Amino acid sequence: MKRLILLSLLFLIPSSVLAVEISVGTTNLSIPSPVGYSLITSDMQPYVKLTERFVPPMNEQFAKFLPEADAAIAARGEIPQSHRHFSVQTAKALIQPFISNNDFAQFKRKIKTQNEDIFKKAELQMPDWLEKINKGIAMDYNVDLGISIDRPLPLPSHSETERSLAYSTFVKYKINDEEGKPSFFEGIVTATLVHVQGKVLFLYVNAEKSGLDWCRTESSKWADAVIAANPSTGDIAARESKHSQGDFDWEKIFVKGTLGAIMGGILGIIGYFSKRRNVPGKEQKKGKIDGKSSDRKEERLCVCGNCEYLISKNSDGFCPECGHRLEE
């Protein structure tokens, strides 16, 4: 009877308050879901495939969270327009090694003393990687987004504890509009490095430019929750207290963490991309839409980007399938 009651209560708990179990090498960690946010799962296609493009190849992403309403949109096979999201990554070089307290202290010193110089090195890697991303999206969706990033503006670290260090960065992104002209979006990301059970995680919280205070507040709450959920005790605590466990290139690792933070913000403009993902391909632009002949000058697409056909301009201005207003 008690088991039945516990199971019944479990189903009453919102998904946003449950924790996600991840494995970093052989270490199992618990990541609490931010309040009001839901885990993005592998079946939420095509959103998951698209977001994976923006994880640096030298990093591993373990979990991503969207607002519950946006996660429901992703579950329906659509691409949500969410500027605010949470994600957990680490550098692949840190997955297997055990990180001591002294190692983590060295990492934090490197960030605080060489933050701007390391950001400049991260900037040098962005153009080549973005070129690959743009080519991949063009091949998959026949859309030339031309995504690029202006010089990020890193702010000094604003929060530090024995097990964490947080800093924020303003980033300006460019994406081509429907006519191929550049449009811009400015965002903010707060990255918090946390040291738990001999592992270092990169916790990213992204938002629109005006969301700096929100980013910092929510990032602090989340980092505290992650640290509390993964206490170091017994043998793990003893190993962490040893002087050093390895020789790490912390500068190179921080470059990887920086790239993960900056690239994640691109997802804030993915909702814009979703409007264009059904733009007809080359053959369709010549007059074929789903096997039917059409005159591009007399028809237009639904703004939601999810309807698979063009609607005549003679309609009342709204899509008969989803109810959205039609493009002009």
Side-chain angles (χ1 to χ4, degrees), residues 27-39:
T27 301
N28 297 323
L29 299 173
S30 180
I31 307 297
S33 299
V35 177
Y37 283 69
S38 293
L39 177 70

Side-chain angles (χ1 to χ4, degrees), residues 60-263:
E60 176 102 2
Q61 181 163 283
F62 299 99
K64 186 169 193 64
F65 304 89
L66 287 181
E68 291 174 344
D70 289 328
I73 292 174
R76 296 199 301 266
E78 303 172 24
I79 300 179
Q81 301 183 46
S82 179
H83 295 312
R84 297 186 172 186
H85 46 88
F86 296 70
S87 59
V88 185
Q89 295 182 24
T90 196
K92 290 180 179 178
L94 294 180
I95 291 178
Q96 298 301 331
F98 189 91
I99 311 301
S100 70
N101 294 333
N102 185 64
D103 292 329
F104 188 61
Q106 290 181 13
F107 191 16
K108 292 191 294 181
R109 282 197 296 272
K110 176 70 72 172
I111 294 172
K112 290 186 292 183
T113 58
Q114 300 184 30
N115 193 4
E116 291 187 10
D117 290 340
I118 294 174
F119 261 85
K120 290 178 181 178
K121 293 182 179 181
E123 285 181 58
L124 296 176
Q125 298 185 26
M126 292 180 197
D128 289 343
W129 188 30
L130 283 171
E131 182 179 1
K132 293 178 181 178
I133 292 174
N134 284 319
K135 286 182 178 179
I137 291 177
M139 289 179 63
D140 286 349
Y141 301 98
N142 194 33
V143 175
D144 179 18
L145 294 181
I147 299 170
S148 64
I149 296 175
D150 280 4
R151 174 169 293 182
L153 176 62
L155 303 178
S157 58
H158 60 271
S159 176
E160 181 181 2
T161 70
E162 183 181 4
R163 290 196 171 271
S164 68
L165 179 70
Y167 62 94
S168 301
T169 305
F170 286 103
V171 189
K172 188 175 183 179
Y173 306 94
K174 181 188 78 67
I175 185 172
N176 292 337
D177 64 16
E178 295 92 333
E179 298 178 354
K181 297 179 180 179
S183 56
F184 297 90
F185 166 76
E186 294 183 78
I188 184 72
V189 55
T190 294
T192 304
L193 313 177
V194 296
H195 181 216
V196 289
Q197 296 191 22
K199 300 297 179 182
V200 173
L201 299 178
F202 306 154
L203 306 182
Y204 301 131
V205 181
N206 291 85
E208 69 286 352
K209 182 181 179 181
S210 61
L212 174 61
D213 290 341
W214 177 87
C215 243
R216 287 179 167 178
T217 299
E218 295 305 314
S219 182
S220 178
K221 291 179 183 177
W222 193 34
D224 289 346
V226 170
I227 293 170
N230 300 280
S232 294
T233 58
D235 291 342
I236 292 178
R239 290 181 65 190
E240 286 183 337
S241 65
K242 292 182 179 180
H243 180 66
S244 180
Q245 299 294 322
D247 184 18
F248 300 97
D249 187 342
W250 291 121
E251 179 178 302
K252 185 177 292 184
I253 289 171
F254 183 46
V255 167
K256 297 172 183 178
T258 298
L259 287 170
I262 293 172
M263 292 301 179

